[in-house]
Amino acid sequence: MRLWPDLPGFSNQMLRNERMPEGLNRQLCLPAHRAMPDAYVTAPHLRDMLDIVSVEQLLAWNDEPGLLPRIPKGANRGNPWSRLGVDALIGFTKDRDVDIRFSAKIELRRRGELSDLASKVPVQQSLL
């Protein structure tokens, strides 16, 4: 998601179909969702990722929730986070999905609005 944010999806097979990594034998990619074909498809993605960023960076990203390049649901689905207003982003920081919360907070931080978030979101959420 961080290296190829313009792709329509980020599953292993979606990356295979969209990126068409060099050297991939299409016959060995099937059947999908089996150990050997999935490992075979993953290897060129990892190779290409390591050509762009360090292994340390990949491991650091792995420790964080997913940074979604687009809003995954609601009226603004498919749009970049940058299209939302601050109040809408704050609403997404309360979502049940950790990737959505993280992505909204990153956009707020990018705008310099994250420090204001503490004053707008109570520490203890209401149960009702």
Side-chain angles (χ1 to χ4, degrees):
M1 288 186 271
R2 293 174 192 251
L3 295 177
W4 303 297
D6 295 332
L7 294 179
F10 305 100
S11 69
N12 206 20
Q13 296 298 328
M14 175 68 79
L15 288 172
R16 171 183 66 104
N17 292 330
E18 292 293 323
R19 293 190 56 247
M20 295 186 273
E22 184 179 331
L24 202 63
N25 178 331
R26 301 280 175 204
Q27 303 251 330
L28 297 176
C29 297
L30 300 172
H33 311 299
R34 299 289 189 266
M36 184 58 196
D38 282 359
Y40 179 76
V41 168
T42 301
H45 301 315
L46 179 59
R47 174 200 63 208
D48 295 347
M49 287 185 232
L50 290 169
D51 283 344
I52 299 169
V53 297
S54 69
V55 68
E56 292 80 17
Q57 181 62 73
L58 290 175
L59 292 171
W61 286 338
N62 189 61
D63 288 340
E64 297 177 347
L67 182 59
L68 305 172
R70 293 172 297 281
I71 302 159
K73 63 183 184 179
N76 290 294
R77 182 177 185 215
N79 288 316
W81 293 96
S82 60
R83 303 257 320 255
L84 286 182
V86 171
D87 289 339
L89 284 167
I90 290 172
F92 275 118
T93 66
K94 301 171 190 174
D95 197 277
R96 292 190 315 172
D97 185 306
V98 67
D99 295 340
I100 293 173
R101 288 194 314 265
F102 180 74
S103 300
K105 288 178 183 178
I106 291 294
E107 178 61 20
L108 286 166
R109 184 176 298 135
R110 185 189 70 78
R111 295 181 190 188
E113 298 282 346
L114 194 58
S115 60
D116 295 341
L117 185 60
S119 64
K120 294 180 182 177
V121 179
V123 174
Q124 176 64 47
Q125 300 290 322
S126 171
L127 293 176
L128 301 174

